[in-house]
Amino acid sequence: MVKLPIVKEGWVFIGGFALITALVALLIDPVLSIIPGILALFMCFFFRNPDRDVPSDDTIIVSPADGTVMDVVEVDDSFVEEPCNKVIIFLSVFDVHVNRAPIEGEIKYQHYICGQYKPAFQKSVGWVNERHSIGLDN
């Protein structure tokens, strides 16, 4: 399987801004096309999917995302069925927005919560914003 340097969800944004860039350049003014052109390039940067060197040691847990750890709190989890830790990671617009599995395993649990869209840098958003929990059996 070929891994593209851009995640598939980003192509619609990149293509949209590229089309707007071309239309503005052809129909209005090439100088004005710089603005949507820069936005198209930013979308390439935002939706990038770089290669990661993952250790082959099964005892190592890697970070599931780039960014800043905002909080680590103990929670009662319905998948683990005992107290466990929730790690809340803030991703700025400059971080890679691809989340990866921190360990090898089989997905045994998924729970999507359609939450709010508060600014991600606030500490409370790990409990109120939209989120998707995934439980891995390792």
Side-chain angles (χ1 to χ4, degrees), residues 55-71:
S56 58
D57 186 349
D58 289 341
T59 62
I60 294 176
I61 298 174
V62 297
S63 175
D66 291 3
T68 304
V69 174
M70 297 296 287
D71 210 355

Side-chain angles (χ1 to χ4, degrees), residues 6 38 66 76 84 91 107 110 115 138:
I6 305 288
I38 289 172
D66 291 3
D76 288 318
C84 61
L91 301 177
I107 295 175
Q110 291 190 62
N138 174 282

Side-chain angles (χ1 to χ4, degrees), residues 66-70 88-93 95 119-122 125:
D66 291 3
T68 304
V69 174
M70 297 296 287
I88 301 170
I89 301 173
F90 164 67
L91 301 177
S92 78
V93 294
D95 289 317
F121 58 83
Q122 295 178 347
V125 301

Side-chain angles (χ1 to χ4, degrees), residues 47-122:
F47 289 105
R48 69 197 185 280
N49 186 14
D51 283 328
R52 295 286 191 230
D53 292 325
V54 180
S56 58
D57 186 349
D58 289 341
T59 62
I60 294 176
I61 298 174
V62 297
S63 175
D66 291 3
T68 304
V69 174
M70 297 296 287
D71 210 355
V72 178
V73 294
E74 190 171 291
V75 296
D76 288 318
D77 186 77
S78 59
F79 171 66
V80 180
E81 297 179 348
E82 64 183 61
C84 61
N85 291 322
K86 176 179 181 171
V87 180
I88 301 170
I89 301 173
F90 164 67
L91 301 177
S92 78
V93 294
F94 302 109
D95 289 317
V96 173
H97 277 68
V98 175
N99 285 252
R100 296 173 168 85
I103 57 174
E104 186 175 333
E106 183 179 345
I107 295 175
K108 296 285 188 171
Y109 170 82
Q110 291 190 62
H111 182 69
Y112 172 77
I113 297 173
C114 183
Q116 300 175 22
Y117 293 96
K118 292 190 175 188
F121 58 83
Q122 295 178 347

